[in-house]
Amino acid sequence: MSKIITDAKIIDELLNRSVVEILPDKELLRKELLSGRRLSMYIGADPTGSALHLGHATNYIILEKFRKLGHKVYLVFGDFTARIGDPSDKMATRVQLSREDVIANTKDWQRQLSPIISFDDPVNPVEIVYNHDWLSALSFEELIDIASTFTVQRMLERDMFEKRLKENKPIYVHEFFYPLMQGYDSVHLEVDIEMCGNDQRFNALCGRTLLKKYKNKEKFVFITTLLENPKTGEKMMSKSLGTGVFLDASNIEMYGQIMAQADENIPQLFTDCTYLDLKEIEEIKSDLKSGQSNPRDIKMKLAWEIVKIYHGEDLAQAAQDNFIKTFQKKEVPDEIPELFLEAGDYSIIDILITGSLVSSKSEARRLIKQGGLKLNGELLLDPEKIINLGSESVLIQKGKRHFLQIKLKL
C-alpha cells in the first residue's frame, strides 16, 4: 500500500484549483486529507462517444493528483448507465447505446487519458471498474427500494425536466432511473469522495443520499469547474461551435486548436489544463490584464504546455515550430494532405469537394467569392476555374491554415 502524503501546500492547491464547490464542507475534507487516513474516491463517466476534449481531462488530472497523494482512486465506466442515457442538460431523450458500443469507447478513452493517468502504477494503480457488474445484478425488489428513497418532486427539480414540462416535451420514466443508478455506484464502492462537474451535481447528491441510507456513511462531493468563455458564457469545448481541443488530435492539430481559442479563455485553460504553478499563472493573468505581454505569445506558451502533456516535449516543439513557420512567417507547412488524380481537366469546385476542403458546391463558391482560396500562392476569385492537371502538382490553400496538394496519379 502506498504512503499517504499530507503536505498542506499540495492539499490546499488541490482543494482550491479548478474547484467550484465541495460538499458538505471543504474544511472537513481538508482535515481528512491532513489526517493521513487513506480515502477512496471515484469519477464516473459514460463513454457515449469515442472523443475526449480538454474539458473532460480536468477531472482526470485532479484524480491523478489524489492518487499521487496515496489515496485509492476508481475510474468508473458507465457501461450500464450509458445505456439508460443521462438527461443532464438535454432537452430530448438520449439515444440508448449497446454495451458493445460503450466498451469500444472505453478503450479509446483509456488510450487518450494515458498521458495524464498512471494506469499501470505497480504501487497504487487506478482501478477501472464497470457499473454493469453490480447494477445488472440488482433485483426488481432492490430497485424499488432504491426508488422509494426519492420523490417525483425531487426528480423534477432538475432544470431540463422543468423545461421539458413547460414545452410539453416528453419525459420518460427510465430517465428518472439514471440518477438512482449513478448514485448506487457510490453505495457499491463505498467511497469517501465523488468527483464530478457541476452538470452532475444532482446525480452525485443522489449518491450521497443513498450511501447514507444503505451504509450510514458520509460522502464528499467534489465539484469541478467547467471550461466556459468568461465573456460569452459559452462552453469552450464544443463540437458544434468548432472550439474543441480534442485529446486524440495530432500534436499539430492540438496546437492549432489551442491557438484558435479566444484570448479571454487563456487564464482558465492554464489553470484547469496544465501543471503550471498557480503563482506563475497569476503572473500571466497580471501580464494579460496590464497589456505587458502579447496574448498571442502567452497563448503559444499555453499551447506548448498542453501539447507537451499529451504528446511529449519534442512533438510540442515541432508543433510550435510548424505554427511559427506556417502562420507567423506565412510559409507552407512541411506536412500537407495530398490528393492524387488522373491527368486531365478538373473544376476547382469539384477538387475542393473531393479533397474535403468544403462540404458543398455552394460553400465552395462562397469561399472563392469571399477571397478565401489561393491557388499556388495566388488569390483565386473565379469559381468557374478549370485546373489542367499535368506533370506539375497544384497547391491549394483555404484560409490561413488548410492546405491541399494535388498530384498526378502515376
Side-chain angles (χ1 to χ4, degrees), residues 361-405:
K361 291 185 177 181
S362 59
E363 182 185 351
R365 292 181 181 277
R366 185 167 58 251
L367 173 70
I368 294 170
K369 289 181 179 180
Q370 291 175 350
L373 197 74
K374 287 184 179 181
L375 188 65
N376 292 329
E378 298 293 330
L379 190 64
L380 177 64
L381 296 173
D382 180 11
E384 306 303 325
K385 173 71 175 178
I386 300 296
I387 296 176
N388 178 266
L389 187 61
S391 59
E392 295 183 0
S393 64
V394 175
L395 179 64
I396 294 175
Q397 180 181 350
K398 173 190 172 185
K400 295 181 179 180
R401 305 182 181 185
H402 302 284
F403 293 83
L404 180 65
Q405 192 88 48

Side-chain angles (χ1 to χ4, degrees), residues 174-218:
H174 80 274
E175 294 182 276
F176 285 146
F177 285 100
Y178 186 91
L180 308 185
M181 296 297 91
Q182 181 177 317
Y184 196 80
D185 292 346
S186 296
V187 177
H188 177 81
L189 296 171
E190 296 189 49
V191 291
D192 299 293
I193 308 168
E194 178 180 356
M195 184 185 299
C196 64
N198 203 40
D199 56 337
Q200 293 294 314
R201 186 179 192 274
F202 184 92
N203 297 338
L205 290 176
C206 285
R208 186 166 171 245
T209 298
L210 291 173
L211 191 58
K212 286 181 180 179
K213 174 180 178 177
Y214 291 108
K215 302 292 182 178
N216 193 29
K217 181 176 180 177
E218 179 60 276

